[in-house]
Amino acid sequence: MSITDRYGLEITTSSTVAAERFQEGMDKLLSYNAGAEESFSAALEADEGLAVAHSGIAVLALVQGDATTARAAAGRARETVAGATRRERQHVEALSALIAGETARGLALVDEHVAEFPRDAVLVNQAGNAIALGGRSDREEHRVAFIERLAPAYGDDWWFQSALAFTYHEVDRFEESRRLSERSLQQYPRNANAVHNLAHIALETLDTEAGAAFLGGWMSGYDRRGSFHCHLAWHLGMFELYRGRYALALEIFERDILGGVNPRLAMTDGTALLWRVRLDCGHDWGHDQQTAWRALADLAERVSRPGFLFGEVHAALAYAACGDGGALAKLIDGLRALDAKGHPIAGTVALPLVQGTAAFAAGDHAGALGYFEPVEAEMHRMGGSHAQWEIFEETMVACYLSLERYDDAIRLVGQRLRRRASPRDLGWHDRARAGLAAQQGTPGESR
């Protein structure tokens, strides 16, 4: 009798214990809960030849920014999968390509695979992440189309609902995303992915009070070892930032982000939060800024990988903020090398963002805009959500205000206000209007 996972896919093992521990690991991985690695390891103790469990460990290591462990685990999956089903062999091959940074090849393999095995959830989940970070100009629409077409195969599945919901809120389909996320949580209350969706919706719709209350309450029962604990803490910090409560945002950074179990997320989320505090408050934090930035730069050195451009542009924030010119130069050289190999955005988008970041940190705001402005319409291709890549728009606003280019500040902030009328943007808009009125010698106009 064959053993199958909860999606009805055969697992090549004679050990029911291995299959049970693998299923536990898969659900923990898909819900971003703690203990997935331990479950996969327990599956391999019961059956060291279970290739898909090796793949699970590879995915977890990749999420942590541990490329060495990820490649080694993917290698063990390839070594042990020879006698497994065709589905498992294709699963391992496609995941190995994605883990190796062969995104185009990996996604092509996934497309072919899911035509026959649409319920291969771990592979679908990883492919969705790869699309989000792949640099396409239509990446969000492409991810919606990829996930949406699989819906008939999943029905009312809790994981799929949260995966589809994530794609929806990134294309402003907030109510559909909310409905799916809430339904997912009804079925699987500890699904951090669904909670993450609701945090995004609260931020995008400026429901920050309710968002902070919901997220804080849910996180009180979320294991700090969970891979998304740090990122959900960043969302809490963003709620405080949008409410002007910078001291609380910094407390969240120090308590829940800097020491987070996931070093890659700790670096990207930590730099994104601190950079925004710097934009809003200048250098007057009341905290030891250099120690914080140095800690983030040290994390960046651990998890930096040239092919992971979303991470690299965040690493640049940390390096620039603490004046680490050597690390910046190495990062820039890596982007130029990728560009020479034909990477679609390493040289055309990521490199100008890094160079503009370095110029801004050095106080050269005109020079920063010289890098940012030509790629303003392409910034979203760096990956991540609106709430993440918009940090470079916000840096441009700070440059415009510093240089008294109020017309340009009003244009960019007005564009942002059409998306969401956040208190931060309204404050920048008022400053720009007042500055422009002073330049023209006329009374300021209300917004």
Side-chain angles (χ1 to χ4, degrees):
M1 178 182 296
S2 64
I3 297 177
T4 60
D5 66 17
R6 69 179 180 85
Y7 289 107
L9 300 175
E10 187 174 347
I11 304 171
T12 302
T13 181
S14 59
S15 168
T16 56
V17 172
E20 289 169 0
R21 298 293 86 77
F22 170 76
Q23 183 62 68
E24 289 174 2
M26 184 171 77
D27 285 344
K28 289 172 183 176
L29 184 157
L30 293 174
S31 62
Y32 298 101
N33 273 287
E37 184 175 1
E38 290 83 353
S39 294
F40 287 138
S41 295
L44 290 170
E45 286 179 11
D47 181 356
E48 64 180 2
L50 184 53
V52 288
H54 287 297
S55 285
I57 288 176
V59 170
L60 292 171
L62 186 69
V63 171
Q64 297 270 354
D66 186 352
T68 300
T69 298
R71 291 191 186 102
R76 287 192 288 275
R78 291 193 300 272
E79 291 167 2
T80 55
V81 80
T85 64
R86 180 167 56 84
R87 194 278 304 183
E88 290 166 292
R89 295 196 302 273
Q90 292 174 183
H91 170 103
V92 167
E93 182 183 7
L95 265 181
S96 295
L98 293 175
I99 287 168
E102 300 171 9
T103 303
R105 174 174 171 266
L107 290 177
L109 290 171
V110 171
D111 270 337
E112 182 179 348
H113 180 75
V114 298
E116 184 178 358
F117 303 105
R119 288 169 64 83
D120 198 336
V122 170
L123 186 57
V124 171
N125 190 62
Q126 195 59 31
N129 293 336
I131 291 170
L133 298 168
R136 286 177 57 140
S137 60
D138 65 343
R139 64 188 182 88
E140 293 305 342
E141 294 79 8
H142 180 55
R143 181 164 57 172
V144 170
F146 169 70
I147 299 292
E148 203 170 40
R149 77 173 190 256
L150 303 177
Y154 284 91
D156 202 33
D157 178 69
W158 64 263
W159 166 76
F160 185 80
Q161 289 174 325
S162 62
L164 182 58
F166 186 86
T167 73
Y168 280 168
H169 73 64
E170 279 300 296
V171 292
D172 299 345
R173 294 166 64 174
F174 300 127
E175 289 312 308
E176 291 169 276
S177 180
R178 187 193 309 277
R179 175 181 57 79
L180 288 167
S181 299
E182 289 174 349
R183 175 59 183 147
S184 175
L185 284 174
Q186 287 171 0
Q187 297 179 77
Y188 200 91
R190 302 317 299 171
N191 182 8
N193 197 31
V195 171
H196 179 225
N197 297 337
L198 294 172
H200 269 282
I201 295 166
L203 186 68
E204 293 291 348
T205 60
L206 296 176
D207 193 11
T208 52
E209 293 285 344
F214 163 74
L215 184 56
W218 189 88
M219 287 186 68
S220 65
Y222 185 37
D223 194 322
R224 292 180 63 87
R225 297 173 302 145
S227 62
F228 243 32
H229 190 279
C230 167
H231 188 60
L232 293 179
W234 176 77
H235 277 278
L236 277 178
M238 287 289 286
F239 287 140
E240 301 302 346
L241 187 89
Y242 269 64
R243 294 190 287 178
R245 297 162 61 168
Y246 298 104
L248 286 176
L250 289 168
E251 284 181 18
I252 290 168
F253 165 78
E254 292 174 349
R255 182 185 67 238
D256 296 321
I257 297 178
L258 190 57
V261 68
N262 187 324
R264 172 177 282 177
L265 286 179
M267 186 274 287
T268 57
D269 292 334
T271 56
L273 188 61
L274 287 199
W275 191 267
R276 285 181 166 96
V277 173
R278 174 176 177 163
L279 293 178
D280 289 6
C281 303
H283 293 283
D284 185 20
W285 292 4
H287 285 65
D288 185 352
Q289 301 172 50
Q290 283 306 107
T291 298
W293 282 119
R294 186 64 256 172
L296 290 169
D298 290 343
L299 276 178
E301 289 177 0
R302 285 175 52 195
V303 301
S304 183
R305 181 167 66 88
F308 182 54
L309 300 189
F310 178 79
E312 294 295 78
V313 296
H314 281 83
L317 298 174
Y319 296 148
C322 65
D324 193 337
L328 273 172
K330 181 179 177 182
L331 192 159
I332 287 170
D333 287 344
L335 292 175
R336 285 176 172 154
L338 278 178
D339 181 53
K341 294 177 181 178
H343 192 284
I345 65 166
T348 57
V349 179
L351 181 58
L353 293 181
V354 169
Q355 292 169 317
T357 295
F360 179 85
D364 181 7
H365 295 171
L369 288 170
Y371 290 112
F372 289 145
E373 286 179 325
V375 297
E376 180 184 340
E378 301 295 308
M379 288 177 174
H380 69 101
R381 296 178 67 183
M382 65 172 255
S385 65
H386 282 97
Q388 291 173 307
W389 62 259
E390 284 179 347
I391 194 169
F392 294 101
E393 283 186 350
E394 295 164 10
T395 306
M396 289 180 67
V397 172
C399 291
Y400 286 139
L401 293 173
S402 174
L403 296 169
E404 300 183 359
R405 289 176 54 180
Y406 299 120
D407 278 333
D408 287 311
I410 290 168
R411 173 196 62 78
L412 181 53
V413 173
Q415 176 180 306
R416 291 168 56 83
L417 287 172
R418 286 190 289 274
R419 176 170 181 80
R420 69 175 93 81
S422 78
R424 296 173 73 230
D425 285 283
L426 290 170
W428 291 329
H429 191 262
D430 284 347
R431 283 179 59 190
R433 298 281 294 189
L436 183 62
Q439 281 181 343
Q440 297 173 343
T442 59
E445 298 179 23
S446 61
R447 55 176 179 262

